[in-house]
Amino acid sequence: MNPAIQNLVVSLVAMQLARRIPFDDPVVLNYVRMGYVTAQVIILGTYFWVSLTIKSKNDQTVLKYVEAPSPMSGDQGKLVTTTVRDYDLAETSKLLRSAYFGIAMMAVMHGYFKFTQPLFVQALMGLKGLFDAKPIAIHILGKPATGDLKRPFSSPSLMGPAPGPKSDAASIAEAEKRAGAKKED
């Protein structure tokens, strides 16, 4: 099943479960807060562990791909040359930034606006995000980097396959030709 659809189903189920939790009881609310904080510590700790694992493996294999152009621009995509180590660290950094952003949003939503249900929902969604994270699947769970886990990673969308980075030889050669033509101008 598509991870975007899974996220939608999990969030809908979590919201239905959150409706049954008596958040007006201070004891229950404190347990939900502790659960949220525990989930965030697990998430951040796992991402830091993945970063350390990537650094210790130090895979210097060259990775070339053509970035997917933004949908509204007329660009054809930019050639990227990096190493597996740097690519995986960049992807893990994106995951960390996403976690930090979620924590900041929850601080505003719960701390300032006093919303309580999102604490429960975001704790579950964050933990589910760990299972969907490709660097975790490769470096912690030991899955081979083939199929969906092949670098560069493509991100799924609700509407089907999104145009992701291209790593085929023809796309890379065309991007190198364009880059060479720009340098001559």
Side-chain angles (χ1 to χ4, degrees):
M1 184 188 280
N2 186 338
I5 294 173
Q6 284 179 348
N7 286 343
L8 183 64
V9 170
V10 169
S11 66
L12 290 174
V13 169
M15 284 189 277
Q16 293 303 315
L17 288 173
R19 287 184 177 181
R20 301 186 196 301
I21 297 173
F23 288 107
D24 49 348
D25 182 357
V27 173
V28 171
L29 182 58
N30 282 333
Y31 280 125
V32 172
R33 286 175 180 154
M34 286 188 300
Y36 175 78
V37 169
T38 302
Q40 297 311 311
V41 167
I42 290 169
I43 292 165
L44 294 175
T46 304
Y47 289 148
F48 284 119
W49 181 25
V50 168
S51 294
L52 290 174
T53 304
I54 293 168
K55 289 174 185 174
S56 70
K57 287 182 180 179
N58 198 23
D59 188 351
Q60 294 296 317
T61 305
V62 175
L63 178 65
K64 281 187 175 183
Y65 62 94
V66 179
E67 279 185 342
S70 59
M72 298 301 181
S73 73
D75 294 342
Q76 295 176 343
K78 185 178 91 174
L79 178 67
V80 177
T81 304
T82 185
T83 63
V84 169
R85 175 189 185 271
D86 292 340
Y87 180 80
D88 286 354
L89 283 173
E91 291 298 312
T92 305
S93 179
K94 288 178 192 175
L95 293 169
L96 263 170
R97 280 193 304 270
S98 174
Y100 290 145
F101 182 75
I103 291 169
M105 288 299 295
M106 192 53 55
V108 170
M109 289 175 66
H110 182 66
Y112 185 73
F113 293 113
K114 306 295 185 215
F115 293 140
T116 53
Q117 284 185 353
L119 285 172
F120 178 75
V121 174
Q122 285 305 112
L124 291 179
M125 293 303 294
L127 291 174
K128 187 203 176 296
L130 282 178
F131 293 105
D132 292 339
K134 293 177 182 181
I136 290 175
I138 293 170
H139 296 286
I140 302 298
L141 301 178
K143 293 183 180 178
T146 58
D148 286 346
L149 299 177
K150 186 176 184 230
R151 296 173 189 93
F153 305 137
S154 60
S155 56
S157 68
L158 280 174
M159 304 303 166
K166 296 178 185 177
S167 59
D168 59 292
S171 298
I172 292 171
E174 182 183 327
E176 285 175 338
K177 215 182 300 180
R178 280 194 317 265
K182 285 182 183 177
K183 287 180 184 176
E184 291 175 5
D185 289 343

